Amino acid sequence: MSLVMFPGMGMFKPLLGFKGFSFKNISAAVAGLNLKTCCHTSIYTTTHRSWIHSSAECLQGVHSPEQEIVIALGSNVGDRIQNFNEALCLMKKSGINITRHSCLYETEPAYVTDQPLFLNSAIRGTTKLGPHELLKVLKQIEKDLGRTDGIRYGPRPIDLDILFYGKLKIESEALTVPHERIWERPFVVAPLMDLLGSSIDSDTVASWHSFSRKSGGLFELWEHLGGESSIGREGLRRVLPIGSVLWDWSKRTHVMGVLNVTPDSFSDGGKFQAVEAAISQVRLLISEGADIIDIGAQSTRPFASRLAADEELQRLIPILEAIIQIPEVKGKLLSVDTFYADVALEAVKRGVHIVNDVSGGQLDPKILTVVGELGVPYVVMHMRGDPTTMQSNENLQYEDVCKQVASELYARVNRAELSGIPLWRIIIDPGVGFSKKTEHNLKLLMGLSSIRREMGKKSLAASYAPILVGPSRKRFLGEICDRTDPVERDPATIAAVTAGILGGANIIRVHNVGFNLDAAKFCDALLKQRKTSGIYV
């Protein structure tokens, strides 16, 4: 008798409080299932002395060209991030096509507690490898990265486990799928949930939910283990690796100070082209409390003409090399504002930590592969067209700006993932002021939660990514407040970033760091009070 049960309507009762989860979207998912999957069969394979339990339809696909899989990753020995990077690279070379990444989690060890903290993540992908072939490949990768036989649940440089293999349930001496202890491990289920959407989009995903033996599927299992409320406490926190640190963006709002080394930026063009002037401004931004310095050598204001990459580098490199040398930047993060792959490469070589691309990979698609190879965080911003066309009538047409921005942003995030940038290195920016009218900018600042929710329908991991907003001194603030001089828009900027932070922004990009840092601190205090008192509006 098969142990696999594909879901019927009663399999997914609604879970109150789960973001984006509703009886309506589960009903739609179940309604789309092929009824042939209700007939089950079991087969015994003599090669591996294993039982594979499957539906009749799935049985025909045991040797099908591809199966969708989920693999968990863990590491607590050596350079944990590098271990993950090497494991992902080796998986790709071994016949595993990675399509999605979860967030990255730092977790306390389980079972054997006297050992270093773990990093945990998971990937979703496809493979033509059979289940036992896949296991053999993963064991070889573990060996290649230095794992040896040791204490069970003890320290290891890399741990790779098959959580799901297609719709199959497998039981053999060597392999159990789903992984036998998945249901009791928050550090496994958290990244697993990231790989799903709040809407169930396929029969395969529906079968994964059914394996949990919960009426609400994996959603109910995750709630039972603590759910989203457990993130940030109890030894389970989301982190993003930047430089030598693991950034927990839930703790406070971070401030990115703007340094434009251009002659034509809308706010401060021409002021900081000289090395001495740029250094002085960096020192000011840092003294006012900036966490990140974002250096741009190409104006992206509306209708700005585009520089070639080599021209941008000629402006950037002398100033960047001087900034790197000043003692004040120690412990701070540097970001390069560019859409060119060559500029990103040269900047990171010289010590930049983050690539901030206003085009999200649209203007120079090579940047996605380059950033993936560089292994640095990548800001994916929403913009239609380029600076010369972004404010055209065509690019300003929206029926539901938050919904459409979320959809277009997710497409760019997904393309970045497929190009080798794990989602746990991605920061999203809705692009305030880029291909938007005033009303659109206001809706975005007030609708960040709806953008997260919309992205979460396809990828819960994407919905948890840090959000950056950059309304500083922009034209729409001047239109609302009747201020033609960009510098006079600083008070309106404070109001705009306040709305953004209270709506869920994690990074604010601003020209005046001092005033906006105070606003961020106050907003963080409000959010902390909201959390401790249970007040949500």
Side-chain angles (χ1 to χ4, degrees):
M1 180 177 66
S2 173
L3 299 179
V4 173
M5 294 189 64
F6 286 85
M9 292 297 292
M11 189 67 200
F12 299 107
K13 63 185 179 183
L15 297 175
L16 296 176
F18 183 81
K19 180 175 66 175
F21 190 85
S22 68
F23 184 76
K24 181 179 179 181
N25 59 40
I26 289 299
S27 297
V30 174
L33 294 177
N34 189 325
L35 293 179
K36 288 190 294 181
T37 60
C38 293
C39 178
H40 297 86
T41 307
S42 300
I43 60 174
Y44 185 74
T45 64
T46 56
T47 304
H48 296 285
R49 297 172 65 186
S50 63
W51 282 98
I52 300 179
H53 306 281
S54 174
S55 69
E57 178 182 300
C58 190
L59 181 58
Q60 298 170 9
V62 169
H63 299 292
S64 64
E66 285 191 328
Q67 293 285 353
E68 191 162 18
I69 57 172
V70 174
I71 297 171
L73 298 87
S75 174
N76 76 334
V77 171
D79 186 335
R80 299 173 297 172
I81 295 296
Q82 185 60 25
N83 293 340
F84 274 24
N85 291 338
E86 292 183 19
L88 293 175
C89 182
L90 290 171
M91 280 193 270
K92 292 173 186 176
K93 291 179 179 179
S94 303
I96 300 167
N97 176 37
I98 298 174
T99 57
R100 295 192 191 185
H101 307 75
S102 76
C103 296
L104 188 67
Y105 295 83
E106 187 171 54
T107 67
E108 291 182 354
Y111 311 118
V112 178
T113 58
D114 185 19
Q115 58 178 314
L117 296 176
F118 274 85
L119 283 185
N120 291 99
S121 189
I123 62 96
R124 182 171 164 181
T126 58
T127 187
K128 296 180 181 180
L129 299 170
H132 289 85
E133 290 177 295
L134 177 60
L135 177 65
K136 183 178 180 181
V137 163
L138 297 180
K139 292 299 182 186
Q140 185 61 49
I141 292 173
E142 290 180 339
K143 183 178 179 180
D144 290 345
L145 294 182
R147 183 169 178 181
T148 58
D149 293 335
I151 303 171
R152 191 181 187 194
Y153 307 128
R156 74 279 319 256
I158 195 69
D159 187 20
L160 303 172
D161 290 321
I162 303 170
L163 301 186
F164 294 126
Y165 184 92
K167 303 177 188 177
L168 304 181
K169 189 166 186 178
I170 303 165
E171 298 175 10
S172 75
E173 293 179 0
L175 179 64
T176 301
V177 177
H179 191 276
E180 58 188 330
R181 305 197 77 164
I182 181 176
W183 319 118
E184 64 187 52
R185 297 175 172 178
F187 61 87
V188 175
V189 177
L192 169 60
M193 297 304 299
D194 289 347
L195 299 174
L196 309 177
S198 59
S199 296
I200 297 176
D201 56 6
S202 70
D203 289 7
T204 299
V205 173
S207 72
W208 296 346
H209 281 281
S210 75
F211 291 151
S212 71
R213 299 186 183 180
K214 298 285 186 182
S215 59
L218 293 168
F219 298 120
E220 183 177 341
L221 172 69
W222 176 224
E223 289 299 310
H224 176 73
L225 292 174
E228 186 61 20
S229 63
S230 66
I231 304 298
R233 60 186 186 190
E234 300 175 4
L236 183 66
R237 65 187 188 116
R238 287 193 189 98
V239 292
L240 188 151
I242 306 182
S244 60
V245 301
L246 293 175
W247 176 43
D248 181 350
W249 62 92
S250 69
K251 297 301 183 184
R252 65 176 178 88
T253 302
H254 282 59
V255 179
M256 174 184 279
V258 178
L259 177 68
N260 290 315
V261 295
T262 60
D264 55 345
S265 291
F266 78 93
S267 174
D268 49 14
K271 290 185 177 180
F272 309 118
Q273 285 181 279
V275 171
E276 296 78 8
I279 292 295
S280 178
Q281 181 64 8
V282 169
R283 286 186 168 126
L284 175 63
L285 295 171
I286 291 174
S287 70
E288 291 181 338
D291 302 292
I292 308 166
I293 305 297
D294 189 45
I295 309 168
Q298 172 145 210
S299 176
T300 52
R301 62 177 172 77
F303 311 112
S305 57
R306 188 191 303 189
L307 284 181
D310 58 347
E311 294 177 277
E312 187 176 329
L313 283 168
Q314 288 173 13
R315 289 180 182 175
L316 174 69
I317 296 305
I319 291 174
L320 174 59
E321 289 180 339
I323 290 172
I324 292 290
Q325 299 302 318
I326 65 174
E328 289 87 348
V329 300
K330 184 177 181 180
K332 300 296 180 179
L333 299 173
L334 298 178
S335 168
V336 62
D337 182 354
T338 188
F339 47 75
Y340 283 128
D342 290 346
V343 176
L345 176 61
E346 294 302 323
V348 173
K349 280 183 180 178
R350 288 165 172 80
V352 162
H353 306 95
I354 302 167
V355 175
N356 181 10
D357 180 1
V358 298
S359 80
Q362 301 295 294
L363 298 183
D364 183 1
K366 292 186 299 182
I367 198 171
L368 299 177
T369 302
V370 167
V371 172
E373 292 172 351
L374 290 170
V376 296
Y378 181 59
V379 181
V380 178
M381 198 193 81
H382 177 269
M383 176 177 66
R384 291 174 172 176
D386 61 28
T388 63
T389 63
M390 66 183 181
Q391 296 303 115
S392 68
N393 288 334
E394 179 183 0
N395 285 328
L396 293 174
Q397 299 305 309
Y398 298 93
E399 293 183 8
D400 183 328
V401 66
C402 289
K403 185 173 183 178
Q404 288 172 263
V405 165
S407 177
E408 292 168 28
L409 259 180
Y410 178 69
R412 293 170 197 183
V413 167
N414 185 244
R415 191 175 300 114
E417 283 197 87
L418 293 174
S419 300
I421 306 175
L423 194 135
W424 41 264
R425 290 194 189 275
I426 289 177
I427 298 166
I428 60 174
D429 180 346
V432 172
F434 289 80
S435 56
K436 317 289 190 308
K437 295 179 181 178
T438 294
E439 64 185 271
H440 300 143
N441 293 318
L442 296 175
K443 288 179 179 178
L444 288 176
L445 287 170
M446 297 293 289
L448 297 180
S449 61
S450 67
I451 292 174
R452 288 193 187 276
R453 187 163 52 250
E454 193 66 30
M455 294 181 76
K457 292 179 181 178
K458 296 181 179 179
S459 165
L460 289 173
S463 76
Y464 298 137
I467 289 181
L468 182 154
V469 294
S472 185
R473 297 181 177 176
K474 288 187 174 169
R475 182 187 299 273
F476 79 101
L477 299 176
E479 291 176 356
I480 293 170
C481 301
D482 193 22
R483 300 288 183 182
T484 56
D485 184 349
V487 176
E488 294 181 356
R489 300 169 190 165
D490 280 347
T493 298
I494 293 170
V497 301
T498 296
I501 295 168
L502 294 179
N506 309 104
I507 307 172
I508 55 171
R509 182 181 183 274
V510 295
H511 297 82
N512 188 320
V513 167
F515 289 162
N516 286 285
L517 176 59
D518 284 351
K521 288 179 178 178
F522 183 70
C523 289
D524 289 345
L526 288 175
L527 292 170
K528 183 177 180 180
Q529 183 63 32
R530 174 195 288 180
K531 187 174 182 179
T532 56
S533 61
I535 299 173
Y536 293 90
V537 294

